[in-house]
Amino acid sequence: MQRLLIAALSTAVFSAAPIPAGATDAPPTTSASATKGTPWNWVSRVVSFNGQFGSSVEPVLKEFQKHVRADAPAQLGIAAGEVDQRVNVQILFPNPGTYQVALAVRFDPPSDANKEKITKFLSSQADELKKQVQRVLADASARAIRDLEKKTAEDEQLLAAADKKVKSKHDELQERTEQIDVTPKSLSAAAAKTQEQYQQAHLDVRARDARRQALEEAIAKLSKQVESSVKDDAVVAELRKVVEIREKEISHKQGLKENGEMSATELDQAVAAAAESRARLLERKRDAAAEAGGNLMQQLNKELLMLSIDSAEQDMRYKLLAMRREALRWGLEQTSNLSSLENDAAKIKTQWETERAHLIRMRNRQNSGLKLDITASENYFFSAPGGQMP
């Protein structure tokens, strides 16, 4: 299976003719005296790794290509002008998040010394690549943690602001509707009950106003009737004459007293007689009024007075119910806004909790040591026809 994987990778990396059927994991037996036309010998190693590096790893891989070519002359003992013909570095991205770096070196002549030198070179370059990718992973992890910390802090502030809006709207609903439970169901029940009370209060006010109007009309009618009856009463008319005579008598006796012709006692008697006459007149007027419906009018006036007192209470109750009905109507309209604010806050909270959990996992992973999923294949020996660059 390992041979099949290496062969497949080599085929993808090197754009030469198909790998000869005789390619093996062991160095070929081509002699050092090979002539032109004899296949040249190559050694390949493939480094594969996975990770979410973003675009940060690509510049590192390109620099690694330069690094390999720069190290090749000293470590392989070849001239700088031979690097392009004898060293090949290919980078592949077979899948998102998957990277493969294929190293290939031609050894000429095919000797054990060259084989050892090239094998050591490939191993050192693979180790160096692992170190560089590990640093990239650490940097990427640290950067991701910083970015996530910033995002988590921002979302925490957003959540606090969203919760504040929810509380503000909730408190406003409670204050204006005078309801502890401001859910749509509770407000709907309160609104229905208030509407029923409001309608009853409205009927009571209309009935009261009608009764007051009827009382006022009845009192006005009785007042005219009593006034007319008292005015036309014969006894009242005669007693009024008596009162007039008694008052004239007082005026006459006052003049006599001033002239010394009458004592004060006689004047007092005349005043008393006049007062008695006025009392009898008033008494008769009262009796005449009572006979004409005055008692009923007194009862109606008393009822009208009590009705006026009760009206103040009814008017206030009707006004308060109207205000409460309007507040509950407004509250029902605002429940959709409250629900929207609560949903927004819930979404932000879910996102914040997810980010926080992910941040904790990333920190734990960083603290426990980042593990890079990276592997290097065994050395793979193959030949390219005619000595061409694979």
Side-chain angles (χ1 to χ4, degrees):
M1 180 62 71
Q2 180 68 20
R3 289 186 57 192
L4 292 175
L5 174 61
I6 300 302
L9 292 174
S10 298
T11 302
V13 173
F14 304 109
S15 57
I19 297 174
T24 66
D25 291 341
T29 59
T30 306
S31 67
S33 60
T35 60
K36 187 176 180 181
T38 300
W40 297 90
N41 294 314
W42 292 84
V43 182
S44 171
R45 172 170 283 196
V46 179
V47 179
S48 304
F49 59 94
N50 301 314
Q52 299 299 324
F53 303 97
S55 60
S56 61
V57 73
E58 296 179 19
V60 173
L61 296 180
K62 291 180 180 179
E63 286 298 320
F64 177 71
Q65 284 181 309
K66 297 178 182 179
H67 174 79
V68 172
R69 295 179 183 277
D71 286 353
Q75 295 185 20
L76 294 175
I78 62 176
E82 295 182 283
V83 172
D84 290 341
Q85 289 76 36
R86 299 187 62 174
V87 179
N88 196 354
V89 182
Q90 297 286 345
I91 301 173
L92 290 177
F93 307 97
N95 296 303
T98 300
Y99 306 86
Q100 293 175 344
V101 179
L103 306 172
V105 178
R106 188 184 75 188
F107 63 99
D108 178 35
S111 63
D112 290 340
N114 283 340
K115 173 189 173 184
E116 182 179 356
K117 185 186 300 183
I118 293 173
T119 299
K120 183 178 180 180
F121 173 74
L122 292 176
S123 296
S124 66
Q125 295 302 324
D127 291 342
E128 178 62 25
L129 178 59
K130 289 180 181 180
K131 293 178 182 178
Q132 292 187 19
V133 173
Q134 186 70 42
R135 284 195 294 269
V136 172
L137 177 62
D139 292 342
S141 176
R143 184 169 56 254
I145 288 177
R146 289 195 301 271
D147 292 343
L148 189 56
E149 285 175 340
K150 181 180 178 182
K151 185 65 168 61
T152 303
E154 291 174 351
D155 284 347
E156 187 173 7
Q157 292 179 350
L158 290 176
L159 178 59
D163 286 340
K164 185 176 180 180
K165 289 182 180 179
V166 170
K167 186 178 185 304
S168 177
K169 177 58 69 175
H170 189 271
D171 291 346
E172 183 184 15
L173 279 169
Q174 285 185 326
E175 181 179 356
R176 292 188 59 174
T177 62
E178 298 180 346
Q179 292 287 117
I180 296 177
D181 186 356
V182 290
T183 60
K185 181 179 180 180
S186 177
L187 290 180
S188 295
K193 182 177 180 180
T194 300
Q195 177 64 19
E196 181 180 351
Q197 293 173 337
Y198 174 81
Q199 290 176 338
Q200 184 59 51
H202 182 66
L203 292 175
D204 292 343
V205 168
R206 292 185 62 181
R208 179 208 66 197
D209 291 342
R211 183 169 183 79
R212 174 189 292 165
Q213 182 178 356
L215 286 171
E216 291 173 347
E217 291 175 355
I219 290 171
K221 183 177 180 181
L222 281 173
S223 179
K224 291 181 180 179
Q225 180 178 334
V226 169
E227 184 180 355
S228 175
S229 297
V230 172
K231 182 179 179 181
D232 296 338
D233 187 80
V235 177
V236 171
E238 293 301 321
L239 289 174
R240 188 177 288 115
K241 293 177 182 179
V242 173
V243 170
E244 290 175 355
I245 294 173
R246 295 296 186 186
E247 289 178 348
K248 287 179 180 180
E249 184 178 355
I250 291 173
S251 298
H252 176 69
K253 289 183 177 181
Q254 282 177 341
L256 294 176
K257 181 179 177 301
E258 291 175 358
N259 294 330
E261 298 177 1
M262 180 175 288
S263 64
T265 302
E266 290 177 323
L267 179 59
D268 291 340
Q269 290 175 350
V271 171
E276 183 180 358
S277 297
R278 284 195 297 273
R280 290 179 60 192
L281 175 60
L282 292 174
E283 184 179 3
R284 179 54 194 169
K285 283 183 176 181
R286 183 191 63 190
D287 293 342
E291 293 173 1
N295 291 336
L296 177 59
M297 188 170 65
Q298 288 180 356
Q299 294 176 1
L300 294 178
N301 277 320
K302 182 178 180 181
E303 185 176 351
L304 183 60
L305 176 61
M306 296 303 298
L307 186 61
S308 298
I309 295 174
D310 293 340
S311 294
E313 179 183 352
Q314 287 182 331
D315 289 341
M316 179 56 67
R317 184 171 184 273
Y318 181 65
K319 180 180 179 180
L320 291 175
L321 285 171
M323 293 172 60
R324 178 170 174 76
R325 185 182 70 156
E326 179 62 22
L328 289 170
R329 183 194 63 78
W330 173 85
L332 284 171
E333 292 177 353
Q334 292 298 311
T335 53
S336 60
N337 293 338
L338 177 60
S339 178
S340 178
L341 291 174
E342 289 174 338
N343 290 337
D344 291 343
K347 290 178 182 178
I348 295 174
K349 183 177 182 180
T350 299
Q351 180 175 335
W352 174 72
E353 289 177 341
T354 300
E355 291 169 349
R356 187 176 60 172
H358 185 42
L359 180 60
I360 292 173
R361 290 194 298 269
M362 291 180 67
R363 285 172 175 169
N364 291 338
R365 181 185 173 194
Q366 188 181 53
N367 293 335
S368 61
L370 297 173
K371 296 180 180 179
L372 177 63
D373 182 13
I374 185 168
T375 58
S377 70
E378 298 291 335
N379 291 334
Y380 173 69
F381 297 81
F382 66 99
S383 298
Q388 62 186 358
M389 174 68 72

